[in-house]
Amino acid sequence: MKAYRAAILRFADDHRAQYEADGLLVVGPDAAGRPVVRAVGAYDALAPNYPGVAIEHLPGRLIAPGFVDLHIHFPQTDVIGSPAEGLLPWLENYTFPHESRFADAAYAAEVATVFLDELLRHGVTTALTFCTSHPASVDALMAASQARGMRLIAGKVLQDRHSPDGVRDQTEQSLADTEALIGRWHGQGRLGYAITPRFAPSCSEAQLRGAGALAAKYPDVWIQSHVAENKDEIRWARELFPQSRSYLSIYDDFGLMRERAVYAHCIHFDDDDRALMRSTGAAAAVSPTSNLFLGSGFFDYEGADRIGFKYGLASDVGGGTSFSPFHTMLAAYHVGREGQTKPGLSLSPQALWWQHTAGAAQALGLDGVVGNLQPGCEADFVVLDPQATPLLARKTAQAGNLDELLFALIVLGDDRVVEKTVIS
Ligand code: GUN
Ligand code: ZN
């Protein structure tokens, strides 16, 4: 067992933050020998219960749950900041040519290392990530994650049409590869597999049908895709699948909406789409830096909450512009402001932080496992330095309550705030 003394942030079931100014986090093995949070609370109350347990004292620091990135592309690490008129030219001119390089396993392994280092440096301990259509890109990322003990969910992209040579796959082979990768990686230690149709326009009906069959055969495997991101993309999807009620319904029609299905963007929805998200248990990965960069639009927070479907925050690197959860939370705040019709704050700092930790974990069906520091959770956490920059030190010293402290970190914070990332 080991314990950490610092300020501690965690979340209650009602999504509200719980904060200990002088807290103790006790980490030790669960019944299966896995390191988990054994106890958490006020230092004065808890410390006497753990005599003899080594305590690492971190004065002035804040311990918080490791961040959960609900949607990211590992092969787009070097695509960040590629300007384009919109999604489709961005894919064609930058993303597909770059992803074709991942046919080379050595290149994939090199980028996997950089990618995981970046996640950890920014305090992200769990991610749901796209690989490329090349199975070797999955092997490279999974092996590198396993070596670090990270909880990571990833999948080989399915794209058997409307995709250039170098990234286009073949229907039967792509499904056989997916099933082989599920067998090789899903449930290995902390790794999970996600069936990954890129988006409906890049997948034939046969490929979507096969993906749906695999999703039914392996109910605890995740599903990830993109939907309703960009107006031209939506028009194209509707032309290709005229029989479906909406773009989102295409996925439902092929058996790809259920718990553990995560759809990136979900911007241009109507209430029937929102109701479909809710009734199927699928979740949205809200990716504000990407949506702002590519000019895709603004996620409708009020609509999502009115109907009540699950969502969490995501970087969507490399459409997204930053690995930093602080940048993503700030962008989400701006987006919430844009769509706001009700008075008051659009999104509270506690709500933003929840969406990138416990809320994102809930969207993955991993609530109580990651994204929080309640007893029983896996002990992945960050040690934050609220004085990491001169301005932050001034601002956080003047914070009169928890919301002001969290807002200062969200608005002024980045990787400099993340002093240490601990993987259990
Ligand atoms: N739609 C299909 N592929 C992609 C992708 O790589 N990024 C984004 N943002 N949207 C997509
Ligand atoms: Zn994406």
Side-chain angles (χ1 to χ4, degrees), residues 71 73 76 87-88 90-91 95-96 99 130 198-199 202 226-227 229 233 247 264-265 290-291 294 296 316 319-320:
H71 175 81
H73 298 252
Q76 295 177 15
L87 170 68
L88 300 177
W90 175 82
L91 285 172
T95 307
F96 290 155
E99 289 194 7
F130 273 52
R198 179 162 213 127
F199 64 158
S202 75
H226 298 93
V227 75
E229 175 178 7
E233 169 218 20
Y247 184 178
H265 310 302
S290 172
N291 300 156
L294 292 174
S296 303
D316 191 31

Side-chain angles (χ1 to χ4, degrees), residues 74-95:
F74 117 75
Q76 295 177 15
T77 301
D78 296 311
V79 177
I80 293 179
S82 303
E85 200 180 312
L87 170 68
L88 300 177
W90 175 82
L91 285 172
E92 194 175 316
N93 296 329
Y94 291 102
T95 307

Side-chain angles (χ1 to χ4, degrees), residues 6-268:
I8 298 175
L9 179 73
R10 64 196 200 278
F11 291 91
D13 288 346
D14 65 3
H15 308 180
R16 280 220 301 265
Q18 295 175 302
Y19 180 74
E20 304 289 347
D22 182 14
L24 191 71
L25 181 75
V26 184
V27 176
D30 65 6
R34 282 211 51 77
V36 296
V37 176
R38 294 285 295 266
V40 58
Y43 172 82
D44 284 347
L46 269 186
N49 302 340
Y50 296 93
V53 171
I55 297 178
E56 185 173 340
H57 193 194
L58 301 160
R61 302 299 188 264
L62 171 63
I63 289 178
F67 290 101
V68 177
D69 193 328
L70 202 47
H71 175 81
I72 186 167
H73 298 252
F74 117 75
Q76 295 177 15
T77 301
D78 296 311
V79 177
I80 293 179
S82 303
E85 200 180 312
L87 170 68
L88 300 177
W90 175 82
L91 285 172
E92 194 175 316
N93 296 329
Y94 291 102
T95 307
F96 290 155
H98 189 76
E99 289 194 7
S100 70
R101 298 180 65 180
F102 288 73
D104 174 353
Y107 182 71
E110 185 224 319
V111 179
T113 299
V114 174
F115 172 77
L116 295 176
D117 287 349
E118 279 300 292
L119 286 182
L120 292 173
R121 223 168 55 68
H122 285 88
V124 177
T125 51
T126 292
L128 172 62
T129 176
F130 273 52
C131 298
T132 62
S133 55
H134 316 96
S137 71
V138 180
D139 291 330
L141 184 65
M142 293 290 202
S145 308
Q146 198 169 42
R148 287 167 170 74
M150 275 181 82
R151 187 171 270 288
L152 192 109
I153 305 163
K156 174 209 131 48
V157 169
L158 298 167
Q159 52 181 121
D160 68 351
R161 66 168 171 169
H162 302 136
S163 305
D165 291 350
V167 294
R168 191 177 58 257
D169 58 13
Q170 297 194 331
T171 315
E172 288 308 317
Q173 187 63 46
S174 72
L175 298 167
D177 287 343
T178 294
E179 190 157 22
L181 288 164
I182 292 171
R184 197 173 315 149
W185 295 112
H186 185 69
Q188 292 295 321
R190 305 183 81 197
L191 302 176
Y193 193 84
I195 298 163
T196 308
R198 179 162 213 127
F199 64 158
S202 75
C203 302
S204 67
E205 292 198 11
Q207 195 175 43
L208 289 177
R209 202 173 304 114
L214 288 171
K217 185 171 174 184
Y218 298 99
D220 68 335
V221 160
W222 282 268
I223 299 165
Q224 59 179 344
S225 192
H226 298 93
V227 75
E229 175 178 7
N230 167 287
K231 296 265 172 65
D232 294 333
E233 169 218 20
I234 295 170
R235 205 172 305 118
W236 193 22
R238 300 301 312 278
E239 280 165 22
L240 291 167
F241 297 91
Q243 68 283 20
S244 292
R245 191 202 71 83
S246 69
Y247 184 178
L248 181 68
S249 298
I250 299 167
Y251 297 114
D252 190 41
D253 293 344
F254 286 97
L256 289 164
M257 292 191 71
R258 59 158 166 74
E259 297 282 337
R260 295 196 166 200
V262 177
Y263 285 90
H265 310 302
C266 303
I267 297 171
H268 308 284

